[in-house]
Amino acid sequence: MADSYSQAQVLVVGAVDTVLKKTGVRPHEVDILVVNCGLFNPTPSLTALLVNHFKMREDVKTFHLAGMGCSAGLISLGLAADLLRAGRRRKARYALVASAEVIQSLYDGKERPMMVTNCLFRSAGNAVLLSGRKEDRERAKMEVAHVVRATSAQRDEAYHVVELREDDEGIVGASLSPQIVQVAGDTLSMNVRSLAPKVLPWTELCKVGWAMLRAALMRRRKSSSPPPPYVPNFKRAFEHFCVHPGGRAVIEGIGKGLRLSEEDLEPSVMALHRFGNTSCSGVFYILAYMEAKGRLRRGDRVWQIGLGSGFKCVTAVLHVLRDLDCRPDNPWYDCVHRYPVKEELSKQAHIVPLIKSVSQLMGVPNFKV
C-alpha cells in the first residue's frame, strides 16, 4: 500500500500539478474531476487524494473509474466531455481528467500467460484539462470531436481474454489470453461501424454501402465465394493514428486490419519500445511522440484507439487547433532524437547475451526477438 501510494503521488498528483501550472488554471476553478486507475483503488479514492492535496472546492464533481483496463483513459475523456456539455447551464467551465497505472506487484508464479505482464506493463500517468468555453479555444491544443465506445463482454471468450485472477497456487496476476488479437479486432470492428458514418467522406461511405449490397446479393444467391469485406480508407478521414500500445502483436494486428502503413504505426511502436504498455495513458504517450516530432499541424485529425479488458474498444477523434512542437515538459524531450528505432534487437551488443540465455532456458536453438 505504501509503495502504491508513493507511485500515485508521482503519477497522479505530479501529472495534475504539471497540467495546472502549464495552463494557469487554479485548483478551485476545476468543476469536474475524473480519475481512473486499473489496479490501485484505495479508500479514500484517488479523487479524494487530489481534492485534499490541491484543496479543491467543496462542490467539485468527482468520479473515480476502476477496473476499466487500458481503455479507461479515453472512457474518462468521453465522460468529462459529456459532463461539460451537460453542465453548460450550470456554467461548468473546466473538467480535469487524470489517468494512471500503478504496478502493485510482479507475478512470481509459473503460468506463462500471466508472466507476460511482468515484461509488458509499466507505471505511467497523464492529465488532461478540458474546457467548455469558447474563449478558451484560442489557447487549447485540440478539440474532442467524437468519443465512441463498444463492448464485447456479452461473449465469454471476450470477457475472459484479459483478467486479474489467481493461478493454481493462489498467486494473483493478470492473465492475457492468446485470443486477445482476434478479440481486439472484432471489438474494433464493432466500434468502427458506429464511428465510420461520423468521420468518413461520402465517397468512402458509398463504397462501403456498395460492398454491403454486393455481399447481401451473394448471400441470397448462396454463392460459394462471397466477396471479401471492404475496408474503408481511414487515411481519408485522419492524418494520424494512435493505436493502443498493448503489445507488438496487437499493434500489428490492428494495423493490418485497418491497412495502415509502417509510418502510420510508427508512433505506437515507438511508444511501446520506449515506455512499454502504459495502460490507460498509452494513447497519450503516442500523442506526445507526434507532438515532439512536430507532426501535429493545425487542422490535422487524430484517431485514438484504446483497447481494454471486458473487452472494450474506445476511440476518440481529436482536431488539432494549432501547430504543436516539442517542449521541455514533453516526456520524449530528452530522447526523441533517437527515434524511430530501426535496427533489430538481436543486432544490439547488449542484447546478444540475453538472447543466448533465453534460448538456452527455453530450449529453442534459434530464438529470435
Side-chain angles (χ1 to χ4, degrees):
M1 287 293 290
D3 179 67
S4 297
Y5 267 113
S6 177
Q7 290 186 57
Q9 285 284 346
V10 174
L11 301 173
V12 183
V13 176
V16 169
D17 184 59
T18 300
V19 78
L20 292 178
K21 289 179 179 177
K22 285 176 64 175
T23 57
V25 174
R26 290 169 291 185
H28 72 267
E29 295 180 284
V30 175
D31 302 291
I32 300 165
L33 175 63
V34 183
V35 178
N36 66 84
C37 186
L39 298 178
F40 181 56
N41 302 290
T43 301
S45 67
L46 294 179
T47 53
L49 173 68
L50 290 176
V51 172
N52 176 264
H53 182 88
F54 292 100
K55 308 305 178 187
M56 295 181 178
R57 297 198 320 259
E58 65 275 5
D59 62 342
V60 62
K61 306 299 185 292
T62 62
F63 302 84
H64 185 155
L65 306 185
M68 302 295 283
C70 301
S71 60
L74 295 183
I75 292 175
S76 299
L77 185 72
L79 174 61
D82 290 342
L83 290 171
L84 272 181
R85 296 187 187 101
R88 284 177 180 173
R89 294 182 180 178
R90 299 179 181 178
K91 299 182 179 179
R93 180 170 184 174
Y94 293 119
L96 180 61
V97 177
S99 304
E101 190 55 77
V102 173
I103 305 298
Q104 292 184 278
S105 63
L106 296 178
Y107 173 72
D108 58 354
K110 300 178 181 178
E111 292 193 19
R112 287 192 178 186
M114 300 174 72
M115 295 179 185
V116 177
T117 56
N118 292 350
C119 310
L120 191 60
F121 285 92
R122 295 293 181 270
S123 294
N126 74 282
V128 180
L129 185 69
L130 293 89
S131 172
R133 299 289 184 87
K134 292 182 179 180
E135 54 265 34
D136 290 322
R137 185 181 180 88
E138 292 184 0
R139 64 193 187 110
K141 286 185 175 182
M142 303 177 194
E143 177 183 21
V144 181
H146 307 285
V147 177
V148 177
R149 299 172 59 176
T151 179
S152 54
Q154 307 89 346
R155 297 158 42 203
D156 289 342
E157 63 271 19
Y159 179 78
H160 293 290
V161 75
V162 180
E163 60 182 349
L164 191 68
R165 64 177 178 86
E166 292 182 342
D167 64 11
D168 294 337
E169 298 179 359
I171 303 174
V172 177
S175 174
L176 302 182
S177 168
Q179 284 75 41
I180 187 171
V181 176
Q182 180 63 43
V183 171
D186 294 343
T187 313
L188 176 60
S189 299
M190 296 165 55
N191 187 290
V192 165
R193 284 195 289 270
S194 299
L195 178 67
K198 301 178 181 179
V199 297
L200 287 177
W202 66 270
T203 51
E204 284 297 312
L205 293 176
C206 289
K207 293 178 181 178
V208 172
W210 171 243
M212 294 174 64
L213 179 61
R214 284 184 59 196
L217 292 174
M218 297 294 281
R219 284 195 298 268
R220 290 187 62 180
R221 296 175 182 176
K222 298 181 180 180
S223 173
S224 58
S225 57
Y230 176 74
V231 179
N233 182 7
F234 285 99
K235 295 182 183 181
R236 299 194 61 186
F238 307 106
E239 284 74 32
H240 309 284
F241 301 86
C242 300
V243 179
H244 170 61
R248 180 176 176 179
V250 172
I251 296 174
E252 291 180 350
I254 298 300
K256 182 178 180 180
L258 296 176
R259 297 184 181 177
L260 303 179
S261 65
E262 291 186 3
E263 290 75 18
D264 297 325
L265 297 176
E266 176 199 312
S268 302
V269 175
M270 294 306 108
L272 178 65
H273 177 278
R274 172 64 181 85
F275 296 103
N277 182 348
T278 49
S279 189
C280 48
S281 297
V283 290
F284 293 99
Y285 278 84
I286 300 171
L287 200 62
Y289 177 86
M290 298 174 180
E291 187 176 348
K293 284 290 187 180
R295 297 177 183 177
L296 298 179
R297 305 285 93 181
R298 181 179 180 179
D300 284 357
R301 297 156 297 179
V302 182
W303 189 15
Q304 293 183 302
I305 302 173
L307 304 167
S309 58
F311 195 84
K312 298 179 291 296
C313 176
V314 186
T315 59
V317 178
L318 308 178
H319 293 170
V320 182
L321 299 180
R322 56 186 172 91
D323 295 350
L324 302 174
D325 54 16
C326 191
R327 301 294 176 87
D329 54 6
N330 189 300
W332 293 89
Y333 183 76
D334 63 342
C335 62
V336 71
H337 60 281
R338 300 199 301 266
Y339 287 87
V341 176
K342 294 293 184 182
E343 66 270 20
E344 295 181 11
L345 287 177
S346 58
K347 295 181 180 179
Q348 297 183 14
H350 65 288
I351 295 294
V352 172
L354 177 62
I355 293 178
K356 291 182 178 179
S357 300
V358 173
S359 177
Q360 294 174 359
L361 180 65
M362 298 180 64
V364 180
N366 297 316
F367 182 77
K368 295 181 179 180
V369 178

